[in-house]
Amino acid sequence: MTSAPTAMTVTDTEVLRDALGLLKDREQVAERLLDSSAKHSFDPDTELDWDAPLEEGKWFWPPELVSLYDTPLWKKMSTEHQQDLARHEAASLASLGIWFEIILMQLLVRHIYDKPVTSAHVRYALTEIADECRHSKMFARMIQKGGAPAYPVSRLNHNLARVLKTISTTPGSFACTLLGEEILDWMQRLTFPDERVQTLVRGVTRIHVVEEARHVRYAREELRRQMVTAPRWEQELTRISSGEAARVFSVAFVNPDVYSNVGLAKREAVAQVKASGHRREVMQSGARKLTDFLDEIGVLRGMGRRLWRSSGLLA
C-alpha cells in the first residue's frame, strides 16, 4: 500500500496458489465484477416505494433472527411486543451497517490510493464505494421510515474503529470487510423472501444481497492474494486483528438500548441473549461460510483463532 504506482506489479503477473487452488488474475476478477455491476445495480431511491404505508401486523426482521427469540423473556412477550423489539433491532442492525460501510469506504480508498488509476481493480473499488454510499443512505431512510431511533455503536467501539481505519494493513482491512458483510448477508438472505416481513424491509435486503455478493467476491479474492504475498508479520497481525474485530463485532451486533426502549430490563435481556443456545447457533451459522473460508486460507491460527472462539462466532 506504500509503493509507487506502476502499470503492473509482480503479484499481478506471477502464478499464485493457496489451499483453495490457483488465484485468479486480479484484473480479470475486477472486469467480471464491473460487468455484473453494470447489469445488476439499483438506485434504492427509485427502486423502492418509500411512500407506501407500513403493513400492519408484519415484522421488520424475521422473529427467529431477533436476539431474544426462544428465551424465557421472549415467551412472556405478546406478538405485538415481539414485533416492536424486531423493529428496534432492525434499526440497530441498519445503524451498525451504516457505521461499518463508512469504515469500509475509507479502507477501500486507502487500498487503491497508490494503485494504477486506470486498472479494472481500482475502477471496481470505486464502483463498490458508490454501492456502499447508496446502501448507507438506504439504511438511514429505512430507519426513519420504521420510526425507531438510530442506534450508534458505543463511544469505545467508535474510537477503536477510528484507530483501525488509520493503521489497518491491506489483508486486515479485507478480513474485517468480510466479517461485516458475510454475517449480515446470511441473515438478509433469509429476510428478503420472508413474506412475514415488511415489503420495504424485504426490498432493502434484496438490493443489499445482490450488490454485496460482488463485494464479498472482491474481498475474498484480494484477501487470498494478500495472505499468500504479505510478509509473515503482516499475516500474523491479520490473524490477531480479525479475531479482535470479531470480538468487537459480536458485542456490537445489537445495541442493548433496544431492550430498554421497548420496556424490557436491559441487564436481564442481555443476560438471556448471552445464555441463549438458539442465538449462539444463529450467529455461528451466519459466520460459518466465512470462518470455513478464513480457516482454509490460514487466517484462523494461533491467537487469532482463540479470539474468534471468544467472540462466539466460531464453534
Side-chain angles (χ1 to χ4, degrees):
M1 294 180 67
T2 57
S3 59
T6 58
M8 191 70 70
T9 65
V10 172
T11 56
D12 288 324
T13 57
E14 67 183 10
V15 176
L16 298 174
R17 179 185 293 273
D18 64 6
L20 297 176
L22 288 173
L23 274 71
K24 296 178 177 63
D25 178 78
R26 182 187 259 165
E27 287 293 278
Q28 288 180 357
V29 169
E31 290 285 5
R32 291 193 190 103
L33 294 174
L34 284 165
D35 287 344
S36 177
S37 297
K39 296 173 185 174
H40 304 292
S41 291
F42 305 94
D43 179 356
D45 286 339
T46 57
E47 185 77 19
L48 302 173
D49 186 356
W50 296 98
D51 295 325
L54 297 174
E55 298 149 294
E56 189 173 348
K58 287 203 171 184
W59 297 77
F60 273 78
W61 203 238
E64 297 82 5
L65 299 182
V66 177
S67 61
L68 277 171
Y69 181 81
D70 204 32
T71 62
L73 261 178
W74 178 265
K75 293 172 183 177
K76 294 177 182 177
M77 297 165 68
S78 67
T79 300
E80 291 76 14
H81 200 181
Q82 293 169 350
Q83 290 180 334
D84 197 32
L85 175 60
R87 180 171 65 94
H88 282 260
E89 288 204 10
S92 177
L93 286 168
S95 301
L96 182 73
I98 295 168
W99 173 69
F100 177 76
E101 288 181 337
I102 289 172
I103 296 169
L104 171 58
M105 286 187 274
Q106 293 177 74
L107 292 175
L108 281 171
V109 169
R110 287 185 60 214
H111 172 61
I112 64 175
Y113 183 70
D114 59 3
K115 289 185 166 44
V117 294
T118 57
S119 70
H121 185 75
V122 168
R123 282 194 292 122
Y124 179 73
L126 293 170
T127 302
E128 181 170 331
I129 291 166
D131 289 346
E132 300 295 16
C133 284
R134 293 194 304 274
H135 294 171
S136 295
K137 293 190 295 178
M138 175 175 70
F139 288 158
R141 200 167 180 181
M142 187 187 79
I143 292 169
Q144 288 183 310
K145 182 71 175 182
Y151 286 95
V153 297
S154 70
R155 182 175 296 276
L156 173 62
N157 288 337
H158 183 82
N159 287 321
L160 282 174
R162 194 188 304 280
V163 174
L164 169 71
K165 292 181 298 180
T166 304
I167 69 171
S168 180
T169 63
T170 299
S173 296
F174 281 103
C176 291
T177 294
L178 289 169
L179 169 66
E181 288 179 339
E182 295 212 28
I183 298 174
L184 283 172
D185 180 73
W186 179 84
M187 291 186 170
Q188 289 175 337
R189 286 177 185 274
L190 296 176
T191 301
F192 79 78
D194 192 333
E195 294 185 358
R196 299 172 297 173
V197 176
Q198 295 280 347
T199 299
L200 177 64
V201 176
R202 293 173 64 196
V204 166
T205 54
R206 178 180 61 85
I207 289 173
H208 201 246
V209 162
V210 171
E211 297 188 339
E212 285 295 315
R214 300 191 292 265
H215 304 177
V216 168
R217 172 76 186 282
Y218 184 76
R220 281 189 171 220
E221 292 293 333
E222 191 59 28
L223 181 56
R224 286 179 64 194
R225 179 177 298 276
Q226 294 294 329
M227 289 302 291
V228 170
T229 60
R232 184 172 297 179
W233 70 264
E234 197 168 4
Q235 295 176 18
E236 188 57 34
L237 181 60
T238 300
R239 296 179 181 111
I240 294 171
S241 63
S242 72
E244 177 61 14
R247 188 193 63 78
V248 170
F249 187 79
S250 65
V251 171
F253 200 76
V254 174
N255 188 314
D257 286 344
V258 300
Y259 306 123
S260 51
N261 284 349
V262 298
L264 297 173
K266 184 190 297 187
R267 184 173 297 179
E268 181 183 4
V270 169
Q272 290 199 17
V273 170
K274 287 182 178 178
S276 170
H278 174 82
R279 185 61 174 177
R280 184 164 52 253
E281 176 58 30
V282 164
M283 297 300 289
Q284 290 178 0
S285 294
R288 190 162 291 130
K289 280 179 64 177
L290 172 60
T291 54
D292 287 349
F293 169 73
L294 295 178
D295 200 16
E296 288 176 314
I297 66 170
V299 174
L300 297 189
R301 295 180 184 172
M303 176 61 74
R305 189 178 193 88
R306 290 192 288 275
L307 285 167
W308 270 91
R309 283 196 185 281
S310 71
S311 75
L313 299 176
L314 179 64

